Amino acid sequence: MIRQPANLLIGSALLIFIGGMAIIALFWTPYDPAAIKLIARLKPPSAQFWLGTDEFGRDVVSRLMAGAVQSMTVAILTVVFAITLGTITGLIAGYTRGLVDRILMVFSDALLAFPGTLLALGLMVISGPNKYGIILALGIAYAPSVLRIVRASVLSAREREYVEASRVIGNSEFTTMFRHVLPNCTAPIVVLATSMFGWVVLAESGLSFLGLGVPPPAPTWGNMLSAARTYIEKAPWLGLAPGICISLTLLGINLLGDALRDRFDPRTEQR
């Protein structure tokens, strides 16, 4: 269990760094991330421009910071939406059983037949490239995974003694479901939420790379990578900077997710 504190510390430190960069960008950036200065286009990293400038003379550091705001906002709202939708439907399916359970599971299985990013890509084609379209598309794509995990936890929890005790003292099924069953399903939901955060960051970057994400000139790490393709040999820093930010975010999320999984899984105590 020596690795758990290390994973937790390193993962938390990386996420604090990325999150801090996004918070600072809300109030300050070295330059205006949207300001075009053609006289300074494709400048290499220097004391004036720490990570250089892009094809329009915009400061890469400023755009990275502003892109962190967009990426973190999309990731957080998508995870909240997917977890909320999946938890409510999974709770209802697992607790009520019967016809409602079968209908929800058939619908969930139909959505799970498509890879999450591919399903989101199809939904984005319909809604068009915009931030809230990404949140809706990715939320719908990832909610079935939450539904299945919550349902499995509820199926186990609903047979416990405290559920019967809640019914005996006169609590309604609604009260029993949300007050007594749901709190005992939070551990797998928390672990899944951390993993899903990384999936969403990667998927949002991929959709933005394909031109289906947050539309320019608003910076995101994905559309910065997409714009850097043309200048990959002449200005490699344009692709390296957002790529490193995405990698650090995914690394931090994975390390934190491993630490939380080890924390909530009692079987790891025996390793």
Side-chain angles (χ1 to χ4, degrees):
M1 296 299 296
I2 297 177
R3 68 173 187 153
Q4 182 178 339
N7 286 351
L8 182 61
L9 289 174
I10 297 173
S12 299
L14 290 174
L15 293 180
I16 289 172
F17 171 74
I18 297 295
M21 183 169 66
I23 292 173
I24 293 173
L26 293 174
F27 306 99
W28 174 85
T29 54
Y31 298 90
D32 183 351
I36 296 176
K37 298 179 181 178
L38 295 179
I39 194 173
R41 67 189 303 269
L42 299 179
K43 292 284 186 180
S46 64
Q48 182 180 7
F49 302 107
W50 297 341
L51 293 178
T53 61
D54 65 7
E55 69 275 20
F56 294 109
R58 298 172 296 194
D59 179 51
V60 173
V61 170
S62 300
R63 291 182 64 76
L64 278 180
M65 295 173 67
V69 175
Q70 297 287 348
S71 296
M72 295 301 103
T73 300
V74 169
I76 291 172
L77 293 179
T78 300
V79 169
V80 170
F81 174 60
I83 291 293
T84 302
L85 178 61
T87 298
I88 292 174
T89 53
L91 187 61
I92 293 172
Y95 192 82
T96 59
R97 307 287 297 274
L99 180 62
V100 174
D101 180 29
R102 289 196 293 271
I103 292 175
L104 288 174
M105 291 310 297
V106 167
F107 186 68
S108 171
D109 291 341
L111 291 179
L112 286 173
F114 300 92
T117 305
L118 182 61
L119 178 60
L121 183 62
L123 294 173
M124 285 299 301
V125 171
I126 299 173
S127 66
N130 62 85
K131 179 165 66 176
Y132 297 104
I134 293 178
I135 294 170
L136 179 64
L138 292 177
I140 292 174
Y142 291 129
S145 299
V146 184
L147 186 157
R148 296 186 71 87
I149 289 177
V150 173
R151 176 181 177 272
S153 298
V154 172
L155 287 175
S156 174
R158 72 190 298 273
E159 305 300 331
R160 302 291 177 85
E161 292 79 3
Y162 58 80
V163 175
E164 291 299 328
S166 176
R167 292 169 177 157
V168 168
I169 64 177
N171 286 332
S172 66
E173 296 295 331
F174 181 87
T175 300
T176 300
M177 184 167 55
F178 282 93
R179 181 175 294 179
H180 300 288
V181 176
L182 180 59
N184 289 280
C185 303
T186 54
I189 294 175
V190 170
V191 175
L192 180 61
T194 57
S195 299
M196 188 182 296
F197 190 91
W199 305 343
V200 173
V201 169
L202 188 60
E204 184 275 330
S205 298
L207 291 172
S208 294
F209 183 84
L210 296 173
L212 292 173
V214 179
T220 68
W221 294 338
N223 63 30
M224 289 177 69
L225 276 174
S226 179
R229 289 179 298 175
T230 308
Y231 306 95
I232 193 65
E233 294 184 0
K234 185 177 181 181
W237 60 86
L238 295 182
L240 283 175
I244 290 173
C245 284
I246 294 171
S247 299
L248 290 178
T249 303
L250 295 179
L251 177 61
I253 283 292
N254 288 333
L255 291 176
L256 182 61
D258 285 345
L260 291 176
R261 184 196 60 208
D262 293 344
R263 170 67 179 82
F264 288 122
D265 188 352
R267 292 173 296 180
T268 59
E269 296 293 337
Q270 302 174 0
R271 297 177 185 174

